[in-house]
Amino acid sequence: MESRVLSRATTVAALPKLFRPVRESSGLGVSTGIKPPVGLVKDGGNLIWGRQLRPALLIEPVPNSQVGCRREKIAVQPCRAASESSGEAKVGFLEKYPALTTGFFFFMWYFLNVIFNILNKKIYNYFPYPYFVSVIHLLVGVIYCLVSWSVGLPKRAPIDGNLLKLLIPVAICHGVGHVTSNISFAAVAVSFTHTIKALEPFFNAAASQFILGQQIPITLWLSLAPVVIGVSMASLTELSFNWLGFVSAMISNISFTYRSIYSKKAMTGMDSTNVYAYISIISLFVCLPPAIIIEGPQLMKHGFSDAIAKVGMTKFLSDLFWVGMFYHLYNQLATNTLERVAPLTHAVGNVLKRVFVIGFSIVVFGNRISTQTAIGTSIAIAGVACYSFIKAKMEEEKRQKKSA
């Protein structure tokens, strides 16, 4: 009888014990304050970093010498079905359909840009104060950035004195270019301002050649010839032409060209959303003094009262708010969109954006343009497209050579 009991106990003790190992204090436990990425599974396995671990079906026999050992080593293997199912769950719609996502970004970029230009011009038709409106554009954007930072979308990147010195020249050029663009929008037709701003690649090439000392190939200069010819043709017969609108748009081209130069010198590891937010804040302080000095007395005397009398207080304030929102959102979305695509797609996107804005502004405002203006605008846009394609291919070849 006694021998039977001993034999049964020995047999039971010889069986391997299946139990969860006790977590040590140095592991992921309550004492460390870190929640372990382990989820309980009903079939006895553990879900660790998306992979289910379960005991192997075949267990090695335990020698009699190790019968008294409290812990036996149990082989574990990943459950493929659980791993695959968890991997599929992690892949979202944006990652599964990147082309649709990029197309949506482009659509929203164009849509917001067109709405901004139309609403901006409508405001100038009853409130012709471009300095003040430019400040409102930046002010609404700054408030939007501060609110976004307060909720952590995105998280505010720290800034120091050295980075501030690098961003100040960029912000000054951004502010000057923004104000002069709005002066041109207020003075002439939106389509004509965008036709003049098609010369921006010409100023960029000239600055790269004569300021940065970069050699520009002859093919790029030849592609810019149609741009100059087309803008000249459009300017000669533009019905809304005046020198204030023309010169302001040209100054805007020069300002944005220097902005691109200083941006290259201020390359930092900060993400584009935070960089644009800091630039907007600095630009607001740059544009505020001229607006107060140049347009302040007129605004206080009759500017605000005339606008409110024409459209009412509610519409006046809502127009200023929404034009600022559209300005900030389309610029921010343009930056995010262009980060997702290759240089060639970037070039196509910029050209098509200008075509969309010119076309919609003509349709919405019913601007009459002469045949020569239409031909000149088409030639200028075609020249910008050729320049962008050639430059994008050159950049792609440089990348391939560096990678090789």
Side-chain angles (χ1 to χ4, degrees), residues 320-375:
L320 291 178
F321 170 77
W322 284 113
V323 77
M325 282 297 297
F326 284 128
Y327 171 76
H328 180 82
L329 290 178
Y330 103 75
N331 275 285
Q332 186 59 66
L333 198 59
T335 304
N336 297 335
T337 302
L338 298 180
E339 284 181 344
R340 297 176 57 89
V341 298
L344 187 59
T345 309
H346 176 184
V348 176
N350 270 324
V351 174
L352 291 179
K353 181 210 73 173
R354 203 170 295 280
V355 172
F356 266 79
V357 173
I358 292 175
F360 273 97
S361 64
I362 293 174
V363 172
V364 171
F365 296 106
N367 297 330
R368 295 176 56 190
I369 59 174
S370 64
T371 304
Q372 182 174 332
T373 299
I375 295 173

Coordinates of all heavy atoms in Angstrom, one line a residue, residues 320-375:
L320 N -13.2 87.9 -42.0 CA -11.8 88.0 -41.6 C -11.3 86.8 -40.9 O -10.1 86.3 -41.1 CB -11.6 89.2 -40.6 CG -11.8 90.6 -41.2 CD1 -11.7 91.7 -40.2 CD2 -10.8 90.9 -42.4
F321 N -12.1 86.2 -40.1 CA -11.7 84.9 -39.4 C -11.5 83.8 -40.4 O -10.4 83.1 -40.4 CB -12.8 84.5 -38.4 CG -12.6 83.1 -37.8 CD1 -11.6 82.9 -36.9 CD2 -13.3 82.1 -38.3 CE1 -11.4 81.7 -36.4 CE2 -13.1 80.8 -37.8 CZ -12.1 80.6 -36.8
W322 N -12.4 83.6 -41.3 CA -12.3 82.4 -42.3 C -11.2 82.6 -43.3 O -10.6 81.7 -43.7 CB -13.6 82.2 -43.0 CG -14.6 81.5 -42.1 CD1 -15.8 82.0 -41.6 CD2 -14.5 80.2 -41.5 NE1 -16.4 81.1 -40.8 CE2 -15.6 80.0 -40.7 CE3 -13.5 79.2 -41.6 CZ2 -15.8 78.8 -40.0 CZ3 -13.7 78.0 -40.9 CH2 -14.9 77.8 -40.1
V323 N -11.0 83.9 -43.7 CA -9.9 84.1 -44.7 C -8.5 83.8 -44.0 O -7.6 83.2 -44.6 CB -9.9 85.5 -45.3 CG1 -9.4 86.5 -44.3 CG2 -9.1 85.6 -46.6
G324 N -8.4 84.1 -42.7 CA -7.2 83.8 -42.0 C -7.0 82.3 -41.8 O -5.9 81.7 -41.9
M325 N -8.1 81.6 -41.5 CA -8.1 80.1 -41.4 C -7.7 79.4 -42.7 O -6.9 78.5 -42.7 CB -9.4 79.6 -40.9 CG -9.7 79.8 -39.4 SD -8.5 78.9 -38.3 CE -8.9 77.2 -38.8
F326 N -8.3 79.9 -43.8 CA -8.0 79.3 -45.1 C -6.6 79.5 -45.5 O -5.9 78.7 -46.1 CB -9.0 79.8 -46.1 CG -10.4 79.2 -46.1 CD1 -11.5 80.0 -46.0 CD2 -10.5 77.8 -46.0 CE1 -12.8 79.4 -46.0 CE2 -11.8 77.2 -46.0 CZ -12.9 78.1 -45.9
Y327 N -6.1 80.7 -45.2 CA -4.7 81.0 -45.5 C -3.7 80.1 -44.7 O -2.8 79.5 -45.3 CB -4.4 82.5 -45.1 CG -2.9 82.8 -45.2 CD1 -2.3 83.0 -46.5 CD2 -2.1 82.9 -44.1 CE1 -1.0 83.3 -46.6 CE2 -0.8 83.2 -44.2 CZ -0.2 83.4 -45.4 OH 1.1 83.7 -45.5
H328 N -3.9 80.0 -43.4 CA -3.0 79.1 -42.7 C -3.2 77.6 -43.1 O -2.1 77.0 -43.2 CB -3.3 79.3 -41.2 CG -2.4 78.4 -40.3 ND1 -1.1 78.8 -39.9 CD2 -2.6 77.2 -39.7 CE1 -0.6 77.9 -39.2 NE2 -1.4 76.9 -39.1
L329 N -4.4 77.2 -43.2 CA -4.6 75.7 -43.5 C -4.1 75.4 -44.9 O -3.5 74.3 -45.0 CB -6.1 75.4 -43.4 CG -6.7 75.4 -42.0 CD1 -8.2 75.1 -42.0 CD2 -6.0 74.4 -41.1
Y330 N -4.2 76.2 -45.9 CA -3.7 75.8 -47.2 C -2.2 75.9 -47.2 O -1.6 75.0 -47.9 CB -4.4 76.7 -48.3 CG -3.5 77.8 -48.9 CD1 -2.5 77.5 -49.8 CD2 -3.7 79.2 -48.6 CE1 -1.7 78.5 -50.3 CE2 -3.0 80.2 -49.1 CZ -1.9 79.9 -50.0 OH -1.2 80.8 -50.5
N331 N -1.6 76.8 -46.5 CA -0.1 76.8 -46.5 C 0.4 75.6 -45.7 O 1.4 74.9 -46.1 CB 0.4 78.1 -45.8 CG 0.5 79.2 -46.8 OD1 1.4 79.3 -47.6 ND2 -0.5 80.1 -46.7
Q332 N -0.2 75.3 -44.6 CA 0.2 74.1 -43.8 C 0.0 72.8 -44.6 O 0.8 71.9 -44.6 CB -0.5 74.1 -42.5 CG 0.0 73.0 -41.5 CD 1.4 73.1 -41.2 OE1 1.8 74.1 -40.5 NE2 2.2 72.2 -41.7
L333 N -1.2 72.7 -45.2 CA -1.5 71.5 -46.0 C -0.6 71.4 -47.2 O -0.2 70.2 -47.6 CB -3.0 71.5 -46.4 CG -3.6 70.2 -46.8 CD1 -3.5 69.2 -45.7 CD2 -5.0 70.3 -47.2
A334 N -0.2 72.5 -47.8 CA 0.7 72.4 -48.9 C 2.0 71.9 -48.5 O 2.6 71.0 -49.2 CB 0.9 73.8 -49.5
T335 N 2.5 72.3 -47.3 CA 3.8 71.8 -46.8 C 3.7 70.3 -46.5 O 4.6 69.5 -46.9 CB 4.2 72.5 -45.5 OG1 4.2 73.9 -45.8 CG2 5.5 72.0 -45.0
N336 N 2.6 69.8 -45.9 CA 2.4 68.4 -45.6 C 2.3 67.6 -46.9 O 2.7 66.5 -46.9 CB 1.2 68.2 -44.7 CG 1.4 68.9 -43.4 OD1 2.5 69.1 -42.9 ND2 0.3 69.3 -42.7
T337 N 1.6 68.2 -47.9 CA 1.4 67.4 -49.1 C 2.7 67.3 -49.9 O 3.0 66.2 -50.4 CB 0.4 68.2 -50.0 OG1 -0.9 68.3 -49.3 CG2 0.1 67.4 -51.3
L338 N 3.5 68.3 -50.0 CA 4.7 68.2 -50.8 C 5.7 67.4 -50.1 O 6.7 66.9 -50.8 CB 5.2 69.7 -51.0 CG 4.3 70.6 -51.8 CD1 4.9 72.0 -51.9 CD2 4.0 70.0 -53.1
E339 N 5.6 67.1 -48.8 CA 6.5 66.2 -48.1 C 6.2 64.7 -48.5 O 7.1 63.9 -48.3 CB 6.4 66.4 -46.6 CG 7.1 67.6 -46.1 CD 7.0 67.7 -44.6 OE1 6.2 67.0 -44.0 OE2 7.8 68.5 -44.0
R340 N 5.0 64.5 -49.0 CA 4.6 63.1 -49.3 C 5.0 62.6 -50.7 O 4.9 61.4 -51.0 CB 3.1 63.0 -49.1 CG 2.6 63.2 -47.7 CD 1.1 63.2 -47.7 NE 0.6 61.9 -48.2 CZ 0.4 60.8 -47.4 NH1 0.6 60.9 -46.1 NH2 -0.1 59.7 -47.9
V341 N 5.4 63.5 -51.5 CA 5.6 63.2 -53.0 C 7.0 63.4 -53.4 O 7.8 64.1 -52.7 CB 4.6 64.0 -53.8 CG1 3.2 63.7 -53.5 CG2 4.9 65.5 -53.7
A342 N 7.3 62.9 -54.6 CA 8.6 63.1 -55.3 C 8.7 64.5 -55.9 O 7.7 65.2 -56.0 CB 8.8 62.0 -56.3
P343 N 9.9 64.9 -56.2 CA 10.1 66.3 -56.8 C 9.3 66.5 -58.0 O 8.8 67.6 -58.2 CB 11.6 66.3 -57.1 CG 12.2 65.4 -56.1 CD 11.2 64.3 -55.9
L344 N 9.2 65.5 -58.9 CA 8.4 65.7 -60.1 C 6.9 65.9 -59.9 O 6.3 66.7 -60.5 CB 8.6 64.4 -61.0 CG 8.0 64.5 -62.5 CD1 8.6 65.7 -63.2 CD2 8.2 63.3 -63.2
T345 N 6.4 65.1 -58.9 CA 5.0 65.3 -58.5 C 4.8 66.7 -57.9 O 3.8 67.3 -58.1 CB 4.6 64.2 -57.6 OG1 4.9 62.9 -58.1 CG2 3.1 64.2 -57.3
H346 N 5.8 67.1 -57.1 CA 5.8 68.4 -56.5 C 5.7 69.5 -57.6 O 4.9 70.4 -57.5 CB 7.1 68.6 -55.7 CG 7.3 69.9 -55.1 ND1 8.4 70.3 -54.4 CD2 6.5 71.0 -55.1 CE1 8.3 71.5 -54.0 NE2 7.1 72.0 -54.4
A347 N 6.4 69.3 -58.7 CA 6.4 70.3 -59.8 C 5.1 70.4 -60.4 O 4.5 71.4 -60.7 CB 7.5 70.0 -60.8
V348 N 4.5 69.2 -60.7 CA 3.2 69.1 -61.3 C 2.1 69.8 -60.5 O 1.3 70.5 -60.9 CB 2.8 67.7 -61.7 CG1 1.4 67.6 -62.2 CG2 3.8 67.1 -62.7
G349 N 2.2 69.5 -59.2 CA 1.2 70.0 -58.2 C 1.3 71.5 -58.2 O 0.2 72.2 -58.2
N350 N 2.4 72.1 -58.1 CA 2.5 73.6 -58.1 C 2.0 74.2 -59.4 O 1.3 75.3 -59.3 CB 4.0 74.0 -57.9 CG 4.4 74.1 -56.4 OD1 3.6 74.6 -55.6 ND2 5.6 73.7 -56.1
V351 N 2.3 73.6 -60.5 CA 1.8 74.2 -61.8 C 0.3 74.1 -61.9 O -0.4 75.1 -62.2 CB 2.4 73.5 -63.0 CG1 1.8 74.0 -64.3 CG2 3.9 73.7 -63.0
L352 N -0.3 72.9 -61.5 CA -1.7 72.8 -61.6 C -2.4 73.7 -60.6 O -3.5 74.2 -60.8 CB -2.1 71.3 -61.3 CG -1.7 70.3 -62.4 CD1 -2.1 68.9 -62.0 CD2 -2.3 70.7 -63.7
K353 N -1.8 73.9 -59.4 CA -2.4 74.8 -58.4 C -2.6 76.2 -59.0 O -3.7 76.8 -58.9 CB -1.5 74.9 -57.2 CG -2.1 75.7 -56.1 CD -1.0 76.4 -55.3 CE -0.3 77.4 -56.0 NZ 0.7 78.2 -55.2
R354 N -1.6 76.7 -59.7 CA -1.7 78.0 -60.3 C -2.7 78.1 -61.4 O -3.5 79.1 -61.5 CB -0.3 78.5 -60.8 CG -0.2 80.0 -60.9 CD 1.2 80.4 -61.2 NE 2.1 80.0 -60.1 CZ 2.3 80.7 -59.0 NH1 1.6 81.8 -58.8 NH2 3.1 80.3 -58.1
V355 N -2.8 77.0 -62.2 CA -3.9 77.0 -63.2 C -5.3 77.0 -62.6 O -6.2 77.7 -63.0 CB -3.7 75.7 -64.1 CG1 -4.8 75.6 -65.1 CG2 -2.3 75.8 -64.9
F356 N -5.4 76.2 -61.5 CA -6.7 76.2 -60.8 C -7.1 77.5 -60.3 O -8.3 78.0 -60.5 CB -6.7 75.2 -59.7 CG -7.2 73.8 -60.1 CD1 -6.3 72.9 -60.8 CD2 -8.4 73.3 -59.7 CE1 -6.7 71.7 -61.1 CE2 -8.9 72.1 -60.1 CZ -8.0 71.2 -60.8
V357 N -6.2 78.2 -59.6 CA -6.5 79.5 -59.0 C -6.8 80.5 -60.1 O -7.8 81.3 -60.0 CB -5.3 80.0 -58.2 CG1 -5.6 81.4 -57.7 CG2 -5.1 79.1 -57.0
I358 N -6.1 80.6 -61.2 CA -6.3 81.6 -62.2 C -7.7 81.3 -62.9 O -8.5 82.2 -63.1 CB -5.2 81.5 -63.3 CG1 -3.9 82.1 -62.7 CG2 -5.6 82.3 -64.5 CD1 -2.7 82.0 -63.6
G359 N -7.9 80.0 -63.2 CA -9.2 79.6 -63.9 C -10.4 79.9 -63.0 O -11.4 80.6 -63.5
F360 N -10.4 79.6 -61.7 CA -11.5 79.8 -60.9 C -11.7 81.3 -60.6 O -12.9 81.7 -60.5 CB -11.3 79.0 -59.5 CG -11.8 77.6 -59.6 CD1 -10.9 76.6 -59.8 CD2 -13.2 77.3 -59.4 CE1 -11.4 75.3 -59.8 CE2 -13.6 76.0 -59.4 CZ -12.7 75.0 -59.7
S361 N -10.7 82.0 -60.5 CA -10.8 83.5 -60.2 C -11.5 84.2 -61.4 O -12.3 85.1 -61.2 CB -9.5 84.1 -59.9 OG -8.6 84.0 -61.0
I362 N -11.1 83.8 -62.6 CA -11.8 84.4 -63.8 C -13.2 84.0 -63.8 O -14.1 84.9 -64.1 CB -11.0 83.9 -65.1 CG1 -9.6 84.5 -65.1 CG2 -11.8 84.3 -66.3 CD1 -8.8 83.9 -66.3
V363 N -13.6 82.8 -63.5 CA -15.0 82.3 -63.6 C -15.8 83.0 -62.5 O -16.9 83.5 -62.7 CB -15.1 80.8 -63.4 CG1 -16.5 80.4 -63.3 CG2 -14.4 80.2 -64.7
V364 N -15.3 83.0 -61.2 CA -16.1 83.6 -60.1 C -16.3 85.1 -60.2 O -17.4 85.6 -60.0 CB -15.3 83.2 -58.8 CG1 -16.0 83.9 -57.6 CG2 -15.4 81.7 -58.5
F365 N -15.2 85.8 -60.5 CA -15.3 87.3 -60.5 C -15.7 87.8 -61.9 O -15.9 89.0 -62.1 CB -14.0 87.9 -60.1 CG -13.6 87.6 -58.7 CD1 -12.6 86.7 -58.4 CD2 -14.3 88.2 -57.6 CE1 -12.3 86.4 -57.1 CE2 -14.0 88.0 -56.3 CZ -13.0 87.0 -56.0
G366 N -15.7 86.9 -62.9 CA -16.1 87.4 -64.2 C -15.2 88.4 -64.8 O -15.6 89.3 -65.6
N367 N -13.9 88.3 -64.5 CA -12.9 89.2 -65.1 C -12.8 89.1 -66.6 O -12.6 87.9 -67.1 CB -11.5 89.0 -64.4 CG -11.6 89.2 -62.9 OD1 -12.3 90.0 -62.4 ND2 -10.7 88.5 -62.2
R368 N -12.9 90.2 -67.3 CA -12.7 90.2 -68.7 C -11.2 90.2 -69.0 O -10.5 91.1 -68.5 CB -13.4 91.3 -69.4 CG -14.9 91.3 -69.2 CD -15.5 92.5 -69.8 NE -15.1 92.7 -71.2 CZ -15.4 93.8 -71.9 NH1 -16.0 94.9 -71.4 NH2 -15.0 93.9 -73.2
I369 N -10.7 89.3 -69.9 CA -9.3 89.3 -70.3 C -9.3 89.3 -71.8 O -10.1 88.7 -72.5 CB -8.6 88.1 -69.7 CG1 -9.2 86.8 -70.2 CG2 -8.5 88.1 -68.2 CD1 -8.4 85.5 -69.8
S370 N -8.3 89.9 -72.3 CA -8.1 90.0 -73.8 C -7.5 88.7 -74.3 O -7.0 87.8 -73.5 CB -7.2 91.1 -74.1 OG -5.9 90.9 -73.6
T371 N -7.6 88.5 -75.6 CA -7.0 87.3 -76.2 C -5.5 87.2 -75.9 O -5.0 86.1 -75.6 CB -7.3 87.2 -77.7 OG1 -8.7 87.3 -77.9 CG2 -6.8 85.9 -78.3
Q372 N -4.8 88.3 -76.1 CA -3.4 88.3 -75.9 C -3.0 88.0 -74.4 O -2.0 87.3 -74.2 CB -2.8 89.7 -76.2 CG -1.3 89.8 -76.1 CD -0.7 91.1 -76.6 OE1 -1.3 91.7 -77.5 NE2 0.4 91.5 -76.0
T373 N -3.8 88.5 -73.5 CA -3.6 88.1 -72.1 C -3.7 86.7 -71.8 O -2.9 86.0 -71.1 CB -4.5 88.9 -71.1 OG1 -4.3 90.3 -71.3 CG2 -4.3 88.6 -69.7
A374 N -4.8 86.1 -72.4 CA -5.0 84.6 -72.2 C -3.9 83.8 -72.8 O -3.4 82.8 -72.2 CB -6.3 84.2 -72.9
I375 N -3.4 84.2 -74.0 CA -2.3 83.5 -74.7 C -1.0 83.7 -73.8 O -0.2 82.7 -73.6 CB -2.1 84.0 -76.1 CG1 -3.3 83.7 -77.0 CG2 -0.8 83.4 -76.7 CD1 -3.2 84.3 -78.4

